[in-house]
Amino acid sequence: MSNDRPRDSARSLGRAVEIIATIAMFSALITIVASLVGGNGLRITDRPDGTDAMMSIVAQPSAEFDIDLGDPLPTTVDEADGTTSVFGQAVVEIGGPLTVTASLLDPTPSQRVIWLIWRVSGPLLVLLVVWPIRQMARSATDGDPFTARNERRLWLIAGLVIIGGVVVSMINGSAQTIILGRSAASELFIVEFEISFLPIIAGLVIAALAAIWHIGVDMRDELDATI
């Protein structure tokens, strides 16, 4: 009876992961479809005034962008305890970096294509990564998760996270740079290409887990062979 409890716990955890993975897949799929049929895609859901086609990008303004935050409240600072005479609380400084939203009201066809690739790439990667995770969770509910097939799935997930994550990061940086750089407000924003190496770290962690999984599979095979 006690030997069945860990197995039941593993099956319950597998079912929970499978449900979460399924929800994540449906959410990613809905995001992809919404982007394709929206105002910057096939415009199936576009309103008559075309406002759905407006695309917004948050970026850091350049020095030529004159931003007036207004005059600060007239306060006096008490040097003894570092509080202001108006609020009686510690002084708070407000500064940069600031971000501004740029809204393109009438994007060009090329901007729409770049926008779609940008918006679809992330959810598509989620679909590709979550699918093998869901398969692994299902194998845990059906029986033993420590199989060679699940080991291959882990290596696949690691590769998708590393390669796909870096590609999506490059697409994100390139899309914002190209769209803003070709817009009428290009001189008002700091247009810089940025890439994240966080997917490489996450992928290496998953690869390490796959290596450990390989050891577990070998130990299970050796145990089965001796019985």
Side-chain angles (χ1 to χ4, degrees):
M1 187 72 176
S2 59
N3 293 333
D4 293 336
R5 290 181 179 178
R7 184 173 299 177
D8 293 339
S9 299
R11 288 179 177 176
S12 299
L13 180 61
R15 291 191 188 96
V17 173
E18 184 179 357
I19 293 174
I20 295 174
T22 302
I23 295 174
M25 290 179 60
F26 274 108
S27 300
L29 185 60
I30 292 173
T31 302
I32 293 174
V33 173
S35 299
L36 293 176
V37 303
N40 291 306
L42 300 176
R43 295 191 174 182
I44 296 177
T45 62
D46 193 15
R47 290 190 288 266
D49 58 359
T51 54
D52 280 356
M54 181 180 67
M55 59 178 63
S56 299
I57 299 177
V58 178
Q60 185 175 349
S62 64
E64 298 181 5
F65 202 118
D66 186 15
I67 301 178
D68 185 9
L69 297 178
D71 295 331
L73 293 175
T75 60
T76 58
V77 179
D78 186 351
E79 298 292 344
D81 57 6
T83 59
T84 64
S85 60
V86 174
F87 299 107
Q89 297 177 352
V91 179
V92 177
E93 292 186 358
I94 300 176
L98 300 175
T99 57
V100 177
T101 301
S103 298
L104 283 71
L105 303 181
D106 189 18
T108 63
S110 62
Q111 288 174 331
R112 289 171 54 197
V113 171
I114 296 172
W115 175 271
L116 282 178
I117 296 175
W118 176 21
R119 292 302 183 183
V120 169
S121 60
L124 181 60
L125 179 61
V126 171
L127 278 177
L128 295 176
V129 171
V130 172
W131 173 253
I133 294 177
R134 183 177 182 273
Q135 295 298 100
M136 291 183 64
R138 173 167 292 185
S139 68
T141 59
D142 295 338
D144 184 13
F146 290 96
T147 61
R149 178 174 294 181
N150 281 341
E151 179 196 342
R152 291 193 295 270
R153 286 168 177 160
L154 273 176
W155 286 114
L156 174 62
I157 294 171
L160 287 173
V161 170
I162 293 175
I163 300 175
V166 172
V167 170
V168 169
S169 177
M170 293 177 62
I171 290 175
N172 291 345
S174 300
Q176 296 186 60
T177 301
I178 295 174
I179 292 176
L180 278 180
R182 295 181 179 179
S183 68
S186 59
E187 297 181 356
L188 299 179
F189 291 91
I190 300 176
V191 182
E192 296 179 349
F193 176 79
E194 296 181 356
I195 183 172
S196 174
F197 294 98
L198 184 61
I200 298 179
I201 300 176
L204 291 177
V205 173
I206 299 174
L209 179 60
I212 297 174
W213 206 278
H214 175 74
I215 297 175
V217 171
D218 288 344
M219 292 178 62
R220 176 62 60 85
D221 293 339
E222 292 177 0
L223 181 61
D224 293 340
T226 56
I227 297 178

